[in-house]
Amino acid sequence: MTATPLAAAALAGVPGGVQAQGAWMGRRQLFVRFAGEAETATMYTSVALNRELERQSARSTFHSIAIGGRDPLGNLHFLLSAFTSVKPPLPVMLDTDGQRPEALAMLAPHLTLAQVTVEFAGPEAMRTNAIETIAAAAGAGCQHALVLSPRDDTSDGQLLRLIEQAHAVSESTQVVVHPPPPTGDVPMLDRRWATLLEQAMSTHADVRLALRLPAPAGLR
């Protein structure tokens, strides 16, 4: 009989750190980071990942586990293998760009929070998929958050439209808007953002503004 191969994935480590953005910003977490093309990677089996999470959570105190990095839901088989064989020692948050709503629906039973981060790069279809991912999380009964990280050229209309769409699929969506970092003589938060928050909350009650925690203090 041929043994079933262990699920494995390339990770850029499992560091401890402080969440830089989103609904659990400022929380001390263990980060399961899938490696990008230019990052130094270490191959982990699902068994090895579980052992590392158990080891680190026993040595120090963390709020939760954050799954992120490059296309985490592209490694669905690995994550399902890890989290169905052993219950994670801490609540699990997934941070995704929202491009795999069908995969999120499969992983949602193992998550406490599904966080969809929109960075306003790429085609409009990416934003549509992000809303579908919010809907998949809501349908699975998983806490869900929409994190909007606008660029300098992102309009208020784009932000408000996404907030309206998120509200339409789930009134329980936590929405976090991270204004771009200040440059030059631009104020830390000019009046535009207070006005935007007022407009957004007329549609959806759970919207907040927050400045991201920059590296090296903040990780994601």
Side-chain angles (χ1 to χ4, degrees):
M1 180 181 293
T2 303
T4 302
L6 292 173
L11 300 180
V14 187
V18 180
Q19 177 59 236
Q21 65 174 38
W24 286 356
M25 186 179 75
R27 295 291 195 178
R28 189 163 187 260
Q29 297 181 310
L30 280 171
F31 288 81
V32 177
R33 294 193 64 258
F34 289 94
E37 294 178 0
E39 291 183 287
T40 302
T42 301
M43 293 301 298
Y44 278 77
T45 65
S46 54
V47 172
L49 174 61
N50 283 328
R51 287 175 179 166
E52 182 64 12
L53 293 173
E54 288 284 356
R55 184 185 70 83
Q56 291 208 48
S57 62
R59 292 178 57 187
S60 189
T61 301
F62 296 93
H63 171 268
S64 48
I65 295 166
I67 304 170
R70 183 175 182 268
D71 193 19
L73 286 177
N75 296 275
L76 178 64
H77 175 61
F78 172 78
L79 292 171
L80 288 175
S81 177
F83 295 150
T84 55
S85 59
V86 177
K87 183 179 179 180
L90 296 164
V92 178
M93 179 194 94
L94 173 76
D95 187 8
T96 174
D97 63 1
Q99 299 314 298
R100 299 179 186 268
E102 69 292 338
L104 186 282
M106 296 177 67
L107 187 63
H110 305 284
L111 303 174
T112 300
L113 173 67
Q115 178 167 290
V116 180
T117 299
V118 177
E119 296 184 335
F120 296 91
E124 183 64 30
M126 295 183 68
R127 265 80 81 190
T128 300
N129 288 344
I131 296 301
E132 290 178 0
T133 302
I134 291 289
C142 178
Q143 293 179 43
H144 44 285
L146 177 65
V147 180
L148 302 178
S149 295
R151 302 164 1 143
D152 289 335
D153 59 354
T154 303
S155 70
D156 290 1
Q158 288 176 292
L159 294 167
L160 293 170
R161 185 160 54 251
L162 275 173
I163 293 169
E164 289 171 0
Q165 291 169 346
H167 179 83
V169 299
S170 173
E171 295 182 8
S172 298
T173 306
Q174 302 175 59
V175 178
V176 184
V177 181
H178 292 302
T183 57
D185 296 329
V186 176
M188 187 69 74
L189 280 179
D190 62 30
R191 181 155 183 80
R192 170 199 175 185
W193 298 105
T195 302
L196 175 74
L197 183 61
E198 179 182 8
Q199 292 175 306
M201 291 187 65
S202 68
T203 298
H204 185 76
D206 191 355
V207 185
R208 74 196 85 156
L209 286 175
L211 294 174
R212 283 172 291 188
L213 295 176
L219 300 178
R220 60 166 297 207

